[in-house]
Amino acid sequence: MTPPTVQRVIARLEAKQLVDARQGHGVTVLDPEAAGLALLPLWFEVYRDEPDRACAVLAEFLELRRVVAVHLMGSRWLNPDPELMTLVSKLYDAETVAERARLDLAFTRRVLDLGGNLAARALFDSARRLVTEVPLVAEALYGDAEDHRRVLTTLGAALGDARVMDRELAAWDARSVGRYRALMTAA
């Protein structure tokens, strides 16, 4: 490897907060967990050969996402928004995993924009990156179109009822983790 190549690699690792490089002090490897959710897609690469660990990380992230979603949707439901209604209709009819993922992310982003919660938008960005950068996660979440439609229907009927929403999302998350495990095993 040439020195410029090594410098570029170190700069990329620094940008991801994986190393600290200081002239005269060398390169120190940092705790990757301290970098937070920004590295979430990389954890799935690291645990590619460890389905139990990868599934545990996915389950933990989905639980976090669910708690925030239920809180936001249960505590202050938004007035009907034409853009949201259009996205729900398109999402229900989406035929491919990529289309369902894109529309679900657009729907979630619209809800968060209307709600104005900056911290929730930061969490959403991690979910967006996870879905777009880890294909097996997108497949696990959106690969079963009928399951996804059932979840949408149940959630639409349960708006404002945090217990029903939490129960339905927890069940969907568990099924998604199971699908993720099966996809990892098959890969």
Side-chain angles (χ1 to χ4, degrees):
M1 234 187 273
T2 65
T5 301
V6 171
Q7 289 171 341
R8 281 193 304 275
V9 169
I10 290 173
R12 288 179 69 194
L13 292 171
E14 272 189 303
K16 294 186 182 286
Q17 301 174 359
L18 293 172
V19 300
D20 181 26
R22 294 187 186 182
Q23 191 168 4
H25 295 281
V27 177
T28 303
V29 176
L30 302 174
D31 178 6
E33 289 184 15
L37 292 175
L39 294 180
L40 192 59
L42 294 176
W43 284 110
F44 288 87
E45 180 64 27
V46 168
Y47 294 143
R48 180 179 43 205
D49 298 326
E50 299 179 59
D52 290 340
R53 291 183 84 181
C55 287
V57 170
L58 181 59
E60 289 169 358
F61 179 75
L62 292 176
E63 179 182 18
L64 176 62
R65 182 191 68 157
R66 182 180 76 250
V67 167
V68 171
V70 169
H71 171 73
L72 291 175
M73 299 297 279
S75 67
R76 53 181 159 146
W77 177 240
L78 310 162
N79 292 324
D81 176 70
E83 187 176 335
L84 281 178
M85 298 303 112
T86 300
L87 286 168
V88 168
S89 177
K90 288 179 180 179
L91 185 54
Y92 194 84
D93 294 332
E95 294 184 17
T96 67
V97 170
E99 189 179 9
R100 281 189 293 281
R102 181 184 60 76
L103 289 166
D104 190 58
L105 292 171
F107 173 83
T108 304
R109 180 61 195 215
R110 180 68 181 161
V111 168
L112 293 172
D113 286 347
L114 291 170
N117 186 311
L118 181 62
R121 285 191 294 227
L123 177 63
F124 163 76
D125 188 57
S126 296
R128 180 194 53 76
R129 289 186 63 231
L130 187 58
V131 167
T132 57
E133 294 177 22
V134 184
L136 290 183
V137 170
E139 182 67 32
L141 288 167
Y142 305 112
D144 185 335
E146 287 306 312
D147 187 36
H148 194 241
R149 287 184 187 106
R150 277 190 306 274
V151 170
L152 290 172
T153 301
T154 303
L155 292 177
L159 287 177
D161 188 338
R163 287 179 295 168
V164 172
M165 291 173 65
D166 184 63
R167 185 181 66 236
E168 183 63 27
L169 288 172
W172 182 42
D173 290 350
R175 291 188 302 271
S176 295
V177 170
R179 284 190 290 267
Y180 181 75
R181 180 182 299 281
L183 290 165
M184 280 188 77
T185 304

